[in-house]
Structures are given as C-alpha cells and as structure tokens.
Amino acid sequence: MQAQSLQPMSDSFESMRPRLAPTVSVVQDGEDTCYLMMTGKDMLRCRGPLVSTLVTRLLPLLDGTRGVAEIRDTLEGTLEAKQVDEVLRLLLRHHLLMDAEPEQVLSTQERVAFGSLLALLSRSSTQPYRVLERLRRMRLVVVGDSELAREVVESLAECAFGTIDLVSPRGAWAALTLELPVRVRHFEPGHLRDVIPGAELVIGVQDGEFNFTRQMRELNRLCLRLGVSWLQVQLTLEAEGWLGPLHTPGTACFECMDMRMKSNLRTWKEQGLHEEQVEQGLLMGRRLGFRPMQRQLAGALAIEVLLHLSGLEASRLVGRSLVIDALSQESSLHPVLKHPACPACGTPPEARLHPWGEEDIRLERTLMSGAAAP
C-alpha cells in the first residue's frame, strides 16, 4: 500500500478511538486495489500487496471501540506499528476517520437524535464529536412572535444547539413542542435585556413586510450596546426570504440596511406611511403564513448558523444579505455597507460634519414632511 511519511504521533493521536466516517464505503477491486468512497465524487484509491490486509484486518477494527495502541497490538505480527500509524494518519488526513472518544460524554438519546448531523460534520472534521460537544454547550436567542420564529427554533434544535431561548409572547410559545434533547426556554419580551448577555448569537425574526420592525430596531440597538452578534431573518409578502446580514461589532447593522433599502425604493413615501401606521396600530400587519416557505427559510438559516458557530466555514453573511426567492428558488448575495449617518452605529451627531438628528436622517420622514409643505 502506498502512503507518504507523516508527522510523529501526538498525544491527541494516541488518545483517539478511530472510527470510519459514516459516509465511507469500501470497494475492493482484485487483490491489490481498493477504493474508500466518501461520496459519488470523492474517493481514496489504495494499491499494493497490503490491500487485502487493510480490507480484511485493519478496517474492521476501526469501529470506535479501540484506541490506537489496541489496534497496533491486535495487528502485531501482521503489520508493523509504524505501518499502522501511517495508514491511520493517511485516513485521517483524507477525512475518512473520526475520533469516537468524545462520544462517551453524549447520552444515547443524543447519539440517536444527532446521528445524521455527525455524519455531516465528519465530512469536514476529523473530530465531529468534539464539534457536536461544542454545539451542545452553546446558547442561542430567537426573538419573534410568529410561526416563522417557531420554525427557526425547531430547525436550530435539529442542529444540536444545547439551549435555545425564545423571546416571544406566551401565545406564540404555546404551539411549540419538541422531542429532541435540546433545552428550549421561553421568555416574555420584557425580559429581553436579561436574556441576551452571554448568548453566542441572537436571531431576530421578522415575518411580513412591516411586522416587528420597531422591535427589530430595538433589538439591533440592544445587541450593539452589549457587543453581541446577531442576524435577522425575514419572509416578505412577495415570498422573498432575507437572511442576514450577520451583525458583528464594526459591521453594518440592521438600521444601516433598513436605510439603504428604503433609499432605493420608488415607493419610499407609501412604504414609510405604511410602516408608521402599522407601528401605531392603525393598520394590521400582514404575514404570508405559508408553512412550506417558512420551513425552507428556517432550514436555510439553521445551516448558515451551524456552519458559522461550528467553525467549519466562515459565515458568508458577515456584511452581506442572502436573498432567496421562495418561488423560483433563485438566490443572491448582496453586500451591506455601514451607513455613515446610521442612528444606531454611525458617528454621533455632534461629531459629524453635518450634525443631523435621528429624525432628520430618516429619509422617508424628511421627504414626506417636505412634500407636505406648501
């Protein structure tokens, strides 16, 4: 079998309990060739006189019940210890092995509930159990009052986040039931300031065109003040899903995006009037209320959050919004730049060259008042 010389063993290598990744299948082609298939496109081809020993003796030992030293001892007289180590390291380097040692801290219920997630994580990490263990220690906060907020909570629970705090009126909470080993807690909106500190991420859910806009502005400013990262998800009446941007310290915030979006609307006046009257209770806010689209958007959001917080990939939502057309299934990424006059994260009025106040820089109000003047 052909293998390159690899680095000396480390303590972490010695403490491993190697297990073939769940997606790996072994296909033998004659006596001296075999293929370790991960997907229909990815494979590792092994060739040489030791292939038969690899398939019949070594690979069956990789079930997560033995340590590296035990595997060496079992194969003594068949393969030298150096050969065993080289093969194991080769398989690790190609993400064909995972370390099952951290599995000991998981309950049987957790192993069953998150088996598919572990298989997914093993494609990108040689220690998927450690990634899962880290996710189980995380706490997320979801803020919203609609069916979409409940779908978001359920999708995040499928991703094994240990604690999810839902900030929502009691009526929205009543319909939420989960059978996963995830702790979901409910808080009334008045407790928002007590819930956010210490959360890994806050998610604001806006279902409909103008529902929850005032609350999103308040959430934005609270997260900015506390230095907590958060992102928004919105499903519009036109069946467009908006994910992000992910607001981290120093990047564009919710109000930056809100101001820039409104400045590009021809119907800025009508939109501004509509939003204000919904906030004042003069108009009823409307929602799309279509469960398949809510589930789809919640699932897309959960995957983005999973990739970001697991550390497997850098989030593409930092400073950008992902827009998904739920009907055509087309999607696009849009950069969101900080607005220099943003009332939430921009330069304070007294330090600006033109020290306009918060009401003055809300474009729709300024233009509406000007249009009303004789």
Side-chain angles (χ1 to χ4, degrees):
M1 180 173 178
Q2 300 170 344
Q4 299 179 1
S5 296
L6 301 173
Q7 298 177 353
M9 294 179 296
S10 63
D11 292 340
S12 60
F13 178 76
E14 284 293 321
S15 64
M16 283 186 60
R17 289 181 176 270
R19 172 184 289 165
L20 278 177
T23 54
V24 173
S25 58
V26 182
V27 180
Q28 191 166 0
D29 183 11
E31 292 294 324
D32 60 354
T33 304
C34 74
Y35 305 96
L36 302 182
M37 312 284 295
M38 281 203 68
T39 67
K41 298 180 180 179
D42 301 321
M43 71 174 184
L44 176 66
R45 181 175 63 178
C46 303
R47 303 179 66 182
L50 295 179
V51 163
S52 180
T53 302
L54 170 73
V55 174
T56 62
R57 298 295 306 277
L58 176 56
L59 293 184
L61 299 177
L62 305 181
D63 58 2
T65 64
R66 303 169 181 83
V68 174
E70 293 178 83
I71 295 173
R72 291 196 205 103
D73 292 342
T74 303
L75 293 174
E76 187 176 2
T78 303
L79 289 176
E80 296 179 2
K82 181 180 179 181
Q83 291 176 310
V84 173
D85 292 347
E86 287 184 341
V87 172
L88 293 180
R89 289 184 178 277
L90 180 67
L91 298 179
L92 277 171
R93 191 178 68 185
H94 288 278
H95 301 294
L96 297 169
L97 283 185
M98 54 190 289
D99 182 7
E101 173 62 28
E103 178 180 314
Q104 307 308 313
V105 303
L106 300 176
S107 67
T108 302
Q109 186 184 16
E110 287 176 315
R111 296 175 203 170
V112 173
F114 305 123
S116 296
L117 175 60
L118 281 166
L120 178 66
L121 295 175
S122 68
R123 294 180 57 181
S124 302
S125 172
T126 58
Q127 298 183 328
Y129 283 102
R130 297 193 186 278
V131 177
L132 180 65
E133 185 181 355
R134 190 164 67 249
L135 295 174
R136 304 294 290 133
R137 294 195 300 265
M138 291 184 179
R139 182 174 69 88
L140 308 184
V141 176
V142 177
V143 184
D145 66 345
S146 67
E147 295 85 356
L148 179 57
R150 293 197 294 272
E151 293 287 351
V152 167
V153 170
E154 292 179 2
S155 294
L156 292 173
E158 294 281 355
C159 294
F161 292 108
T163 302
I164 304 173
D165 292 336
L166 173 62
V167 181
S168 179
R170 177 63 61 178
W173 162 255
L176 179 61
T177 57
L178 287 177
E179 297 181 357
L180 293 166
V182 173
R183 182 168 60 165
V184 179
R185 303 184 298 184
H186 172 256
F187 294 88
E188 294 291 337
H191 296 282
L192 182 61
R193 296 173 185 271
D194 301 322
V195 176
I196 287 181
E200 271 74 21
L201 185 67
V202 177
I203 300 165
V205 182
Q206 188 171 10
D207 199 356
E209 289 290 353
F210 305 111
N211 298 340
F212 222 55
T213 301
R214 177 178 57 80
Q215 292 93 328
M216 293 285 276
R217 286 199 294 268
E218 294 174 355
L219 177 63
N220 179 61
R221 299 191 184 199
L222 180 58
C223 289
L224 286 172
R225 186 162 63 251
L226 297 174
V228 177
S229 298
W230 80 285
L231 65 82
Q232 68 175 96
V233 54
Q234 180 185 10
L235 180 61
T236 72
L237 296 178
E238 285 79 26
E240 277 190 344
W242 287 74
L243 301 181
L246 174 60
H247 311 290
T248 58
T251 64
C253 73
F254 169 77
E255 292 180 63
C256 291
M257 186 183 74
D258 192 46
M259 293 173 66
R260 290 187 179 279
M261 287 180 63
K262 289 176 180 175
S263 67
N264 288 290
L265 292 175
R266 289 185 178 182
T267 57
W268 54 265
K269 179 178 178 180
E270 293 79 6
Q271 295 277 17
L273 285 171
H274 193 168
E275 180 180 325
E276 286 191 13
Q277 291 179 19
V278 169
E279 290 183 1
Q280 294 169 9
L282 301 176
L283 288 177
M284 291 294 294
R286 294 181 299 159
R287 293 169 175 156
L288 192 60
F290 189 49
R291 290 290 297 277
M293 290 181 179
Q294 292 171 336
R295 284 193 293 267
Q296 176 193 1
L297 189 59
L301 172 74
I303 294 300
E304 292 288 344
V305 173
L306 172 66
L307 293 177
H308 171 58
L309 292 181
S310 66
L312 297 179
E313 290 187 17
S315 174
R316 57 177 176 170
L317 297 182
V318 176
R320 292 185 291 184
S321 283
L322 175 64
V323 182
I324 304 172
D325 188 315
L327 286 176
S328 67
Q329 297 297 295
E330 296 179 348
S331 62
S332 56
L333 274 172
H334 300 272
V336 182
L337 303 178
K338 284 178 65 68
H339 198 296
C342 176
C345 70
T347 305
E350 60 273 12
R352 298 179 194 144
L353 179 61
H354 301 288
W356 296 308
E358 178 178 338
E359 292 300 313
D360 297 318
I361 62 175
R362 288 193 64 181
L363 178 63
E364 73 279 4
R365 291 188 179 179
T366 302
L367 295 180
M368 280 191 288
S369 60

